[in-house]
Each structure stands twice: as structure tokens, then as C-alpha cells.
Amino acid sequence: MGKVISGQIFVVDDNIDTDQIIPAEYLTLVPSKPDEYEKLGSYAMIGLPDRYGKFIESGEQKTRYPIIIAGENFGCGSSREHAPIALGAAGVTAVVALSYARIFFRNCSATGELYPIESVDRLCDLFVTGQEATIDFTAEVIVNHTLDRTFSLKPLGEVGPVIDAGGLFDYARQTGMIAARS
């Protein structure tokens, strides 16, 4: 998995819950419908307090931040697959957090929308929204180009190939666990 992700980062701190990621009022959108998938992404992180700034600029459908940096317990709260789907639809490729709510982590792998990467250090106290960063999956590091510093990441482990495949069902089809679609 020689994947590399680069771009601007969006920084939040601890206990960002699924209601902040995608408020319940938008859960009627059906992600399997392309136009509703895009609309779902346009509401990603709309429930955040104002102190974080805008995740998606007014009039835009996508975020300019492919990487989210977070503290502990990212994705806590209600179990909803819409949370990682909304982030993926908004253009997020990875979240780097100190820890995740177990169900959010599981929903990331089930949907294949984004990589939930655990940091070794508390990066949300060191990074600032808008800085440029690169995640190198092979080296298991994130480089903050603005700070000119490199930080270790925990290995993705067995979840990596599942997300690479596009989610749990696609992985199961690719590996022969279930029959391919005819």
C-alpha cells in the first residue's frame, strides 16, 4: 500500500461526535444516489462550533481539506454510516486522530470512504488548520510541511486493504469471500 495523501489540513480537538460531522436532519439523504451523495458531502462538519471555522466554504460543494487532524474519540455519539460517507463525499481522504470511537472506525472500513489513522502524538495541539501535510502510508508518517516536522503514525493494519478495495463488501468480493456481482 504505497499510498500518499497530500493537502491542507483541518484541525479539530477531542470528542467530535457524529452529530457534528453530519447532523441528524441530513440523514434522509441516500448516499447510493449520486446527487444525494454529493449533497450529503456539502453538509459535512456543519454541526461544528464556530470556533473551528468553515470546513466547506459558502457556495462550495467540497472541502479544500483532504486531511482532518483530531484529538481523542473522533466520531463518538450515534452510530451512523453517514458520518464517514459525508466526509468522503466532501473530499476528505483521511482522518488522523489520537483515538476513534469504535463504531466510527468500523464504519470507515465498512464504507471504504476514508482512512482512520491513529497518531502517536497529540497532533491537534501542534497543527493548525490550513497547514500543508503529507501522509505516507508506507513510512507510517505524516509530514507537516509548514512546520517542517515529521510525526509517526500507527499502522493501519488489516483495515488498510479493506478501505483500498472500497469497503467491506468490495473487499469480500475481491478476495473471493463472497461471489462477485454478475
Side-chain angles (χ1 to χ4, degrees), residues 42-64:
S42 72
Y43 295 122
M45 305 294 262
I46 201 167
L48 285 176
D50 292 340
R51 66 185 164 98
Y52 291 112
K54 293 262 187 206
F55 182 67
I56 297 176
E57 295 298 324
S58 298
E60 296 294 322
Q61 291 287 100
K62 302 263 186 200
T63 185
R64 67 175 187 245

Side-chain angles (χ1 to χ4, degrees), residues 155-169:
L156 264 176
E158 294 178 11
V159 76
V162 176
I163 297 170
D164 287 342
L168 196 54
F169 285 104

